[in-house]
Amino acid sequence: MSIELKNVTKKFGEVAAVNNVTFSVKEGELMALLGPSGGGKTTVLRMIAGLEMPTGGDVFIRGLRVNDLSVQQRNIGFVFQSYALFKHMNVFKNIAFGLKIKKWKAADISARIEELLKLFGLEGLERRYPHQLSGGQRQRVAIARALAPKPNVLLLDEPFGAVDAKIRQELREWLVTLHHDLNVTTIFVTHDQEEALEVANRIVIFSRGLLEQVGTPREVYEQPSNEFVARFIGAMNVLEPEVRGGVARLGELEFPASGQPEGQKLRIGFRPYAVQISSDLTQHRYHAVLRHTFFLGVLLRVELELPSGLTIRARMTKEDYAHQGLEDGKEVSFQIRQYRVLAGETAALPPERELGYQPPPVFGENI
């Protein structure tokens, strides 16, 4: 493993910003630390870098315990959210800064910077100052500076938070290509679910200092470990049906629940893509009225209102919507093709029922 955290805790006073966190990062992996503000992800990143010391637990880099090592001794490249470029230095000098600190020879510095300028698409900009660069160029300079000394690990704190949406998308694609070419173990912090799903090989999800789940983008999206993850990663319909006679019921909806205690309430979750809609009222068991349609480009999000007043969200392509002649106010039939029993589930009821359907991978959409 490239990086391991074992039972790491960080307290500020009596408050645990990170509480007993354990996970590992494989050599050459591109991992995202994802969660809401205050979740603990940036504190974890800073402890790996050596900018914060753990209150308890251990941090390992390539098998070496680094709790007592300084930032310089860890051979870490760190890119701050604000880039932290030196305003009085041009691009060449910014990238060269760490190399001079490490006392590289002038010829080696020039060769390394020439290599990075070409790799990062910054050729011809080496004499410019930060204020003469675009946001995307400043970010690439910051990453080039972090990578110049050839670190074992690259750490990025909210790397694309300071640029607009178009540049952010370009930088995401660029980072994936760069990582593929360099194969440097990389960890980046983000609160943007789409960014994590699109860029990372694996995702570590935090909430209130706790590690909620570690998995691939597909795993955390399609197999959330609990309700927090299910709601945080994309959209999730969450219902609370009550068990009566071996069936969990809420309004018209029924879910098999054999073996469950009578009167127990289950937390049932299903993604909008799991709701199949038809304009043919005989096609599916349940009926609803299409109340609202939201245009999302190639996809549409629709809200269905059941006769009982219950509202659920679905998703479909605009081609399917048009082909079926759907419009707001029209009655439709539908079925729920896949669902999960969320945290609090019991062993008697399987955590997921496929109902004969495997959904396509849906990454990068907040549906």
Side-chain angles (χ1 to χ4, degrees), residues 7 18-19 79 104 122 154 171 190 199 232-233 255 263 280 344 352-354:
N7 307 114
V18 176
N19 194 352
V79 179
W104 280 39
L122 296 169
L154 177 63
L171 285 171
T190 182
V199 174
F232 191 73
I233 302 291
F255 303 88
D280 182 353
E352 184 165 358
R353 294 183 184 273
E354 293 294 345

Side-chain angles (χ1 to χ4, degrees), residues 179-222:
H179 179 264
H180 181 269
D181 292 341
L182 298 180
N183 200 37
V184 175
T185 303
T186 303
I187 306 175
F188 70 97
V189 162
T190 182
H191 63 270
D192 187 324
Q193 300 94 324
E194 180 179 316
E195 187 167 280
L197 290 167
E198 182 176 344
V199 174
N201 303 135
R202 285 195 302 152
I203 301 171
V204 186
I205 301 174
F206 292 94
S207 172
R208 299 161 300 179
L210 300 174
L211 191 158
E212 300 285 354
Q213 186 172 358
V214 181
T216 65
R218 183 163 189 164
E219 286 169 348
V220 299
Y221 188 88
E222 296 184 353

Side-chain angles (χ1 to χ4, degrees), residues 209-273:
L210 300 174
L211 191 158
E212 300 285 354
Q213 186 172 358
V214 181
T216 65
R218 183 163 189 164
E219 286 169 348
V220 299
Y221 188 88
E222 296 184 353
Q223 302 169 36
S225 62
N226 55 44
E227 187 172 340
F228 171 80
V229 176
R231 288 182 179 274
F232 191 73
I233 302 291
M236 174 74 77
N237 292 289
V238 178
L239 306 177
E240 195 168 334
E242 185 173 324
V243 177
R244 295 293 178 190
V247 176
R249 294 184 175 86
L250 180 64
E252 304 85 340
L253 301 179
E254 297 182 349
F255 303 88
S258 59
Q260 295 300 304
E262 194 76 2
Q264 178 179 336
K265 288 189 175 182
L266 302 179
R267 300 286 287 179
I268 299 290
F270 53 94
R271 299 288 188 192
Y273 67 67

Side-chain angles (χ1 to χ4, degrees), residues 17-32:
V18 176
N19 194 352
N20 197 33
V21 164
T22 297
F23 70 92
S24 60
V25 187
K26 301 172 186 176
E27 189 74 31
E29 189 168 25
L30 177 54
M31 176 171 274

